Amino acid sequence: MRDLAPRLPSSPGFWRSPLRGPWFTSVLGLVLLVGITVLFVTGLLSYAAYNPDLAPVNDKTPDKGILGFYLFAWPTDPPWLYRLTQGVHVTLGLVLIPVLLAKLWSVVPRLFTLPPVRSLAHALERLSLLLLVGGALFEFVTGVLNIQLDYLFPGSFYPLHFYGAWVFFAAFVAHAVLKVPSALRNLRAMREERDDLVSPQPAAPTVTRRGALWFVGGGSLLMFATNAGRGFDGPLRATAVLSPHGGPEPGGGPNGFQINKTAAHVGIDPADTRDDTWRLVVTGRSGTVRFSRADLLAMDQHSAALPIACVEGWSTSDQLWRGVRLRDLAARVGHEDHPPDLFVESLQRRGAFRSGALRANQVADPRSLLALYVNGAELSRDHGHPARIIVPAAPGVLNTKWVARMTFGDLA
């Protein structure tokens, strides 16, 4: 008589897809091995780019302890460095989503095996898998939400993503050490090994395993095509339909390139930015000097072609900025020889990064400007009028807009 009792997920016959098996899982695992390693490295570089050891204002993870062992002074060359590393980090993360989902689908029967723990070694393996799967989902979900500017998770994105990445990557390394040798054997084998992923009662196949891999690859290609354009200007940016283009559409003209937040969004009062009311307060070794916009325009003006790149992965091509060199402002307050670190404060009244710190090497770079013009026109309010910072290779949030005060001195 036919057994009509419903099967449970722990039953060997419950999972019947003929696609599951060590070869399919191994291919996906090796792709993730390379991709997640690149994600982790570029993520660490993104954190280093904020110069978190420079000043508390830049450090969004103050309890990092030994996890900050690798930090170094972020360079200014090449000027597109952060644009490249963060663009790779965000785009690759999106491209790997179909691969990750397919990998989780391929091994889901193991999550329901009984008994759940057979030995101490098995318990440790199950714990590492829990951290691996949970960490992967946490990192990818928070990363996607950050790109979309939807902060549905509790707390700040920076520490959550940073600490989560270390937990996830530790479990990932442990899993890789255990599984990579068998994955390589599965790929080299002339016939597939049988294991607990292979159904004892497979259903009729509707697609080959190679066909399934082509489907996953097509999903990754679609993610690339619908997201990568946010790193470019012009028509290509319109192809980034699944990720923000860097804030509201800016329109045309010299200021017609992307922004992250508008002046109204961060509480900039127009009365504070008028030429007759705005003053820049600069403090250094010899005291404090107040500059009007006319005073700044009377100083030597310099130009630099630099992009803007944001942690969300969007960026612009080079814009032509013009203004006063930061090192010239340092010289006006007693730092004629070697300009020190710089602490910058904005008129911004709400939101993160109302202030930021720059290292001495960034201040000394001749392309680092207090910009007054862009592409031959005055800065618009949304681009930081009356003055903003622009520094080669620095994350966008450290290119402070609506600058009100600059303090030169050692901050480390």
Side-chain angles (χ1 to χ4, degrees), residues 314-336:
W314 68 266
S315 60
T316 75
S317 57
D318 286 355
Q319 310 298 325
L320 185 61
W321 308 90
R322 187 165 179 80
V324 180
R325 288 175 174 171
L326 297 185
R327 67 185 191 184
D328 292 344
L329 286 168
R332 292 290 294 268
V333 288
H335 301 282
E336 296 87 354

Side-chain angles (χ1 to χ4, degrees), residues 46 48-51 74 82 308-311 362 391-400:
S46 177
Y50 282 75
N51 287 321
W74 189 250
Y82 187 74
I308 294 178
C310 194
V311 69
Q362 295 173 310
V391 172
V397 291
L398 295 184
N399 292 310
T400 307

Side-chain angles (χ1 to χ4, degrees), residues 98 109 159 196 205 316 338:
D196 57 335
T316 75
H338 299 291

Side-chain angles (χ1 to χ4, degrees), residues 24-25 28 96-107 212 216:
F24 186 69
T25 298
L28 297 172
L96 287 179
I97 288 176
V99 185
L100 175 67
L101 293 178
K103 178 66 160 61
L104 294 177
W105 173 86
S106 73
V107 298
V216 174

Side-chain angles (χ1 to χ4, degrees), residues 52-387:
D53 279 349
L54 175 61
V57 67
N58 286 10
D59 192 359
K60 299 302 179 181
T61 54
D63 299 323
K64 61 185 180 297
I66 62 172
L67 298 182
F69 70 93
Y70 72 96
L71 294 174
F72 57 96
W74 189 250
T76 56
D77 276 310
W80 40 261
L81 178 61
Y82 187 74
R83 186 185 186 193
L84 173 66
T85 58
Q86 192 61 13
V88 168
H89 181 75
V90 172
T91 303
L92 181 59
L94 294 170
V95 166
L96 287 179
I97 288 176
V99 185
L100 175 67
L101 293 178
K103 178 66 160 61
L104 294 177
W105 173 86
S106 73
V107 298
V108 70
R110 287 179 176 162
L111 300 179
F112 296 93
T113 56
L114 293 177
V117 175
R118 295 190 294 268
S119 65
L120 177 60
H122 186 242
L124 293 175
E125 180 184 1
R126 299 283 284 185
L127 178 61
S128 70
L129 285 176
L130 177 64
L131 294 175
L132 180 67
V133 174
L137 292 176
F138 179 82
E139 286 299 290
F140 277 82
V141 168
T142 55
V144 169
L145 289 175
N146 183 62
I147 294 168
Q148 300 293 339
L149 304 179
D150 291 329
Y151 302 108
L152 304 178
F153 40 83
S156 170
F157 167 77
Y158 296 95
L160 289 174
H161 204 66
F162 177 79
Y163 296 127
W166 280 103
V167 172
F168 165 59
F169 196 72
F172 177 76
V173 170
H175 185 73
V177 169
L178 293 173
K179 298 298 184 181
V180 165
S182 62
L184 293 175
R185 286 197 305 270
N186 289 329
L187 294 182
R188 289 196 299 262
M190 295 299 293
R191 62 184 180 85
E192 184 177 60
E193 299 176 7
R194 296 189 64 83
D195 68 1
D196 57 335
L197 293 177
V198 179
S199 174
Q201 302 173 10
T206 57
V207 64
T208 65
R209 285 175 179 166
R210 284 184 172 82
L213 289 178
W214 278 109
F215 180 76
V216 174
S220 292
L221 183 61
L222 180 64
M223 293 297 288
F224 178 82
T226 54
N227 287 281
R230 72 193 175 288
F232 303 90
D233 292 329
L236 193 59
R237 187 178 291 273
T239 65
V241 296
L242 295 184
S243 60
H245 304 164
E249 292 299 323
N255 282 272
F257 56 96
Q258 295 300 320
I259 58 174
N260 202 3
K261 295 194 170 55
T262 64
H265 180 82
V266 297
I268 300 298
D269 187 342
D272 294 336
T273 62
R274 296 200 314 262
D275 288 356
D276 60 337
T277 58
W278 176 81
R279 294 294 183 270
L280 172 67
V281 180
V282 181
T283 301
R285 185 162 52 196
S286 62
T288 297
V289 180
R290 294 171 61 88
F291 295 90
S292 66
R293 184 176 168 86
D295 294 330
L296 294 171
L297 289 172
M299 296 179 64
D300 290 341
Q301 303 292 297
H302 299 271
S303 298
L306 298 171
I308 294 178
C310 194
V311 69
E312 286 91 11
W314 68 266
S315 60
T316 75
S317 57
D318 286 355
Q319 310 298 325
L320 185 61
W321 308 90
R322 187 165 179 80
V324 180
R325 288 175 174 171
L326 297 185
R327 67 185 191 184
D328 292 344
L329 286 168
R332 292 290 294 268
V333 288
H335 301 282
E336 296 87 354
D337 42 5
H338 299 291
D341 305 331
L342 171 62
F343 181 65
V344 185
E345 298 172 80
S346 173
L347 291 171
Q348 181 177 337
R349 296 184 179 182
R350 55 178 175 265
F353 290 99
R354 294 184 292 273
S355 56
L358 299 172
R359 286 192 185 273
N361 67 302
Q362 295 173 310
V363 176
D365 193 293
R367 297 163 296 180
S368 296
L369 304 176
L370 179 71
L372 307 172
Y373 289 85
V374 63
N375 298 322
E378 282 192 10
L379 294 170
S380 67
R381 288 190 66 242
D382 288 339
H383 278 300
H385 180 83

